[in-house]
Amino acid sequence: MKAVGAASNEEEAGMFELIKTSTSQFLALQSVSRHVKINEEAVAKFAATIGPKELQSATRTPFPLKFKDRASELNFLGLLHALNFGSGYRELLHQHCNRGAYETIAHGCIGAHISQTINADFLLNLKLVDIPQLFGIPLDMDVEIKPAIHSTKHSPVRPLAAKIVAVCNKMGRTMRARQWEGFSDFVMETLEDIRGVGPGGQSKQRKGSSRPAADFVKELGKAFPSVFKDVYEFKQQSDDSTNTIEEGKENKQDPASTSTTVGMVHIYKKAQLLVNELHRRFKDEDPSLFDFEDIDNMTVCADNVLPAALRHYGILEYSEELGRRVDSRCPLKNREMECAMRAGSIVACEMILKELKARSSDWNTKKRRKNVGENPGGKKLEATYSHPKCRPLSDSDLKKAREQQLEELEDHSYGCIVLSSSASRSSSENESEQQLPQHTCVLLIKPKKTSKGYVFPKGHPDPGEKMEDCACRETREETGVTPSGHLQSAYAERGYSFIGKLHSDKWKKHAAYPDEAKRPILVVHKIVRLYFAWCSTLNTSQLRPNSEAHEVVWVPLQEAEQKLTFQEDKDMLREVLRTNQVMTKLSALKWEIPKKYQKGSAGDSKQGVDNRRDDFEDDPSKLATSDALDFYLWREVGKLPQVRKEPRHLMQDTVFY
């Protein structure tokens, strides 16, 4: 019996390459390809619609939670990703919990973090009776047998609750056996071993791995196989038919079969999502451990959503039998069909990425011509005085810049959109202070340099200062208000170009200072980033404008856009308030939000995430990654109601998606 996809292949190729190879080989089998095929013409057509802007980095954001240390955050993330399954219960969860699958799991994990200490003991001792309180999943339901006669029976989502308990208990037993207090111990121990360092960053006597992300995914599957080892094992007969092995029980085979090979399809959806989140969240804090240099080699995270999206675009083509099962809302019980759909998603996305990388030379050429100002013949062109993040100069300013051959400067400012509620006014305020109705309010300033209207507080960072720290400091200095908190990942960014003198902060450090006659006039590409922040208590007595502000006011949110001077500020206000994490925070605070700022309201523009990070790299081909494509497809599904509402395939017994 020959083994396909054996452990030796993992060592030679690495886990990411093994995922790509095994899914491709599986999809090529005759018995599998009759269910799922990839339309190469549709792949090329779809890839042609995607450019650098569509492939901007994903902005998946952390939860608005406070963690006492890195260990507690790692424990939370480990639990969240371990329990990231239940998609087959989506419709039932909406009926009984008013939430989808992921929202239900996230709700429970947040509850566990707030009320418990997520560690090995918590996981090991979790019981079925704990699930309703933590996750809001009912175990039983009341049914009416006859008029006025009721009985109790098990809820249809009870099996999901049992799976949650089983996964947690298995993880707890593994941690207890390995003497890990929590998931964080596994993460740190594993990464230190992969990186070739000891506790505290001490060097070991060996070189670290060149593929840390792939190795971490592999170790995650080895340590917690029933939770993260997302593989499908099948037996292939000599006639190229396959026989899946489901839950350890082999299906009946024709005894006349002669030659058999064992195949293993590797997918590792949850493990790849987790390693990617660890990279994004901690790479700046601890690059020696978490800045995975091979992270761009990961594949898309194939679940039940990507097949639906790719089928919509004609990229995945299903057999009549499989298409009928999916379209008729019948649960999929055939592991081979399920694996074919997920494997097809991975292979198709790899083909899309190949197309995009082949086209990236065109992106590079366009960017080089734009920056260098040369055409293919080498003739010098006029300077464009443009910036990819900024609204362009007016025609008159562009003409002036070219005539005077002005230099260009990229200028960054950071500030806060601070909200509070007049319902939480300080009791110390007296009648002479600013009176506000019971509304959610936003903090605005009127700068001294302009009398046109109001803006958000913002300013330039000090050397080495973090962007969000600068935003909070500038807010405090310009208004006297210290935010109670802010969300590092909830921000909006806009840019605009203009002609002006060198800013006073930079002018004071200029060699010609203080001779105003020599103060440079430049084309300034101004990029402003505003973070969401809040004040638990609204106290107008704190308002103290500094030398740069003429006035500081709390304005009812409903009236904010009438007060704001610039359209960019109005757009950023709308964008920030419509992000999921801000809506979650405001809901927790029980602050009223005008309907026009709620998601899906009239006037909701196609800005949001698409315009948040338009930072093309010097090499745009680096944008063509599985993570970026995965996120782009998820965004597109959100715009396709017919795909979003499709039940997809309902595989309820899996713990891998």
Side-chain angles (χ1 to χ4, degrees):
M1 184 180 292
K2 180 182 176 182
V4 179
S8 60
N9 290 345
E10 296 182 22
E11 301 296 334
E12 294 173 5
M15 182 53 69
F16 295 152
E17 289 305 314
L18 188 60
I19 294 171
K20 297 172 186 177
T21 302
S22 66
T23 52
S24 180
Q25 291 176 348
F26 180 70
L27 203 66
L29 295 176
Q30 181 180 350
S31 59
V32 176
S33 61
R34 68 185 177 89
H35 289 311
V36 177
K37 293 182 179 179
I38 298 175
N39 186 321
E40 295 187 16
E41 184 177 343
V43 168
K45 182 178 179 181
F46 179 72
T49 67
I50 304 176
K53 187 172 183 179
E54 286 74 26
L55 285 178
Q56 57 190 305
S57 296
T59 53
R60 296 181 179 90
T61 53
F63 288 88
L65 297 172
K66 286 188 176 180
F67 299 96
K68 64 179 182 180
D69 51 30
R70 182 193 291 173
S72 62
E73 187 168 1
L74 288 172
N75 290 335
F76 171 81
L77 293 175
L79 178 63
L80 177 68
H81 285 276
L83 299 182
N84 188 6
F85 58 86
S87 59
Y89 290 87
R90 183 177 63 88
E91 291 186 344
L92 290 172
L93 287 169
H94 276 293
Q95 293 173 17
H96 294 273
C97 307
N98 294 317
R99 296 188 185 94
Y102 181 75
E103 290 76 14
T104 299
I105 296 301
H107 174 79
C109 293
I110 291 173
H113 168 72
I114 293 173
S115 62
Q116 309 280 338
T117 299
I118 300 176
N119 55 22
D121 290 338
F122 165 77
L123 297 173
L124 189 59
N125 296 319
L126 187 70
K127 295 179 174 58
L128 191 60
V129 293
D130 301 324
I131 299 302
Q133 182 177 1
L134 282 176
F135 292 84
I137 299 176
L139 301 180
D140 301 299
M141 57 187 294
D142 187 58
V143 293
E144 187 177 35
I145 302 175
K146 295 180 180 180
I149 300 178
H150 293 259
S151 179
T152 300
K153 72 173 186 177
H154 287 341
S155 162
V157 292
R158 186 186 182 105
L160 176 61
K163 286 185 179 297
I164 291 173
V165 173
V167 166
C168 289
N169 291 167
K170 288 178 181 178
M171 290 186 69
R173 285 194 292 271
T174 298
M175 293 177 190
R176 181 70 63 82
R178 300 288 291 271
Q179 297 184 335
W180 294 326
E181 289 188 13
F183 187 76
S184 62
D185 287 350
F186 159 75
V187 173
M188 299 306 293
E189 179 181 306
T190 302
L191 286 181
E192 286 169 356
D193 184 62
I194 290 172
R195 292 296 201 176
V197 299
Q202 297 178 357
S203 298
K204 290 185 176 181
Q205 298 300 315
R206 67 174 182 81
K207 186 179 179 181
S209 170
S210 61
R211 51 189 187 215
D215 287 350
F216 184 82
V217 167
K218 181 181 70 175
E219 294 301 323
L220 193 57
K222 288 171 61 177
F224 305 98
S226 62
V227 182
F228 288 106
K229 192 173 182 179
D230 186 1
V231 299
Y232 291 83
E233 185 175 332
F234 62 92
K235 285 188 177 181
Q236 179 188 346
Q237 305 305 315
S238 56
D239 62 354
D240 196 26
S241 64
T242 60
N243 175 33
T244 59
I245 299 175
E246 189 168 339
E247 293 190 354
K249 294 183 178 181
E250 183 179 340
N251 295 337
K252 290 184 178 181
Q253 260 315 316
D254 183 353
S257 298
T258 55
S259 172
T260 304
T261 59
V262 176
M264 190 81 75
V265 185
H266 299 72
I267 295 181
Y268 283 84
K269 176 242 181 180
K270 294 195 302 185
Q272 290 194 84
L273 276 177
L274 176 56
V275 76
N276 191 40
E277 179 145 13
L278 295 180
H279 170 75
R280 289 183 171 279
R281 176 61 188 88
F282 299 109
K283 65 177 180 178
D284 294 327
E285 291 183 12
D286 193 347
S288 64
L289 286 182
F290 294 95
D291 191 3
F292 305 132
E293 51 266 38
D294 63 329
I295 195 67
D296 288 343
N297 294 331
M298 64 181 281
T299 71
V300 293
C301 298
D303 51 12
N304 59 325
V305 177
L306 287 186
L310 294 172
R311 186 188 183 203
H312 169 79
Y313 289 112
I315 295 171
L316 286 188
E317 297 178 343
Y318 294 169
S319 65
E320 182 179 351
E321 178 187 359
L322 178 55
R324 185 174 61 252
R325 284 180 177 272
V326 172
D327 295 336
S328 64
R329 309 167 71 93
C330 293
L332 261 185
K333 296 182 179 179
N334 187 313
R335 288 285 186 183
E336 180 182 313
M337 287 185 176
E338 178 209 18
C339 185
M341 295 167 71
R342 298 180 71 199
S345 299
I346 293 175
V347 176
C349 286
E350 287 299 313
M351 294 171 66
I352 294 170
L353 288 171
K354 185 176 180 180
E355 288 278 342
L356 293 173
K357 290 174 181 176
R359 294 174 52 239
S360 65
S361 59
D362 295 334
W363 305 342
N364 277 312
T365 302
K366 292 176 182 177
K367 183 174 177 65
R368 185 173 64 252
R369 292 175 190 169
K370 184 175 183 179
N371 289 347
V372 178
E374 293 183 355
N375 63 16
K379 181 180 178 181
K380 189 72 175 178
L381 301 177
E382 291 182 313
T384 60
Y385 290 107
S386 63
H387 191 287
K389 289 187 178 182
C390 298
R391 171 169 46 82
L393 292 169
S394 65
D395 290 342
S396 58
D397 280 349
L398 180 59
K399 181 179 179 182
K400 179 180 177 181
R402 286 174 172 169
E403 289 175 347
Q404 299 183 15
Q405 296 185 347
L406 299 179
E407 294 184 3
E408 298 175 80
L409 174 69
E410 183 175 297
D411 186 55
H412 292 263
S413 290
Y414 305 98
C416 289
I417 296 176
V418 185
L419 265 59
S420 190
S421 174
S422 54
S424 60
R425 288 170 61 89
S426 170
S427 58
S428 64
E429 298 189 50
N430 56 50
E431 295 297 323
S432 64
E433 293 173 323
Q434 180 187 356
Q435 298 299 306
L436 294 170
Q438 299 291 308
H439 291 302
T440 300
C441 301
V442 62
L443 186 65
L444 302 178
I445 67 171
K446 178 179 282 188
K448 287 186 176 179
K449 60 183 179 181
T450 177
S451 59
K452 293 180 180 179
Y454 294 84
V455 298
F456 294 108
K458 60 183 177 293
H460 295 95
D462 292 333
E465 187 176 29
K466 292 183 178 180
M467 294 178 287
E468 61 270 20
D469 293 341
C470 168
C472 293
R473 175 183 56 77
E474 287 288 342
T475 299
R476 182 177 64 253
E477 291 178 356
E478 293 189 355
T479 67
V481 174
T482 300
S484 303
H486 70 280
L487 298 181
Q488 178 181 351
S489 57
Y491 63 82
E493 193 172 80
R494 292 293 185 274
Y496 50 92
S497 300
F498 63 93
I499 294 177
K501 293 182 178 181
L502 184 66
H503 192 276
S504 58
D505 290 349
K506 294 181 173 62
W507 170 232
K508 291 176 182 178
K509 301 175 183 178
H510 197 276
Y513 179 81
D515 187 351
E516 281 293 326
K518 296 182 179 180
R519 188 170 180 174
I521 297 177
L522 309 161
V523 172
V524 181
H525 302 300
K526 181 78 170 180
I527 301 169
V528 177
R529 177 179 290 191
L530 299 178
Y531 291 87
F532 170 76
W534 69 93
C535 283
S536 301
T537 302
L538 191 154
N539 188 345
T540 56
S541 63
Q542 293 179 341
L543 303 182
R544 296 186 181 88
N546 68 356
S547 58
E548 297 181 14
H550 176 72
E551 184 184 6
V552 181
V553 293
W554 285 106
V555 175
L557 193 54
Q558 186 70 42
E559 304 171 13
E561 290 191 34
Q562 300 172 15
K563 296 279 189 180
L564 288 168
T565 305
F566 302 107
Q567 184 62 43
E568 285 83 0
D569 283 346
K570 299 176 185 180
D571 292 341
M572 285 190 282
L573 176 63
R574 285 176 177 264
E575 180 179 331
V576 164
L577 293 182
R578 286 173 178 163
T579 58
N580 289 332
Q581 60 270 39
V582 171
M583 297 302 294
T584 300
K585 181 63 182 180
L586 295 177
S587 176
L589 292 170
K590 297 182 179 180
W591 288 355
E592 175 191 359
I593 298 298
K595 187 175 180 180
K596 65 180 179 180
Y597 293 120
Q598 297 174 10
K599 269 192 172 182
S601 62
D604 195 359
S605 63
K606 186 191 173 184
Q607 291 175 353
V609 178
D610 282 346
N611 287 336
R612 179 176 296 172
R613 294 184 60 186
D614 199 13
D615 48 349
F616 302 165
E617 303 180 27
D618 290 335
D619 182 5
S621 65
K622 294 179 181 179
L623 294 172
T625 65
S626 296
D627 181 47
L629 179 59
D630 201 343
F631 191 69
Y632 172 70
L633 286 168
W634 267 86
R635 290 204 312 259
E636 292 303 295
V637 168
K639 302 171 189 175
L640 301 169
Q642 69 274 27
V643 176
R644 192 169 66 247
K645 294 178 181 178
E646 181 184 317
R648 302 156 189 137
H649 56 292
L650 307 180
M651 184 66 72
Q652 292 186 344
D653 63 344
T654 182
V655 295
F656 294 120
Y657 62 88

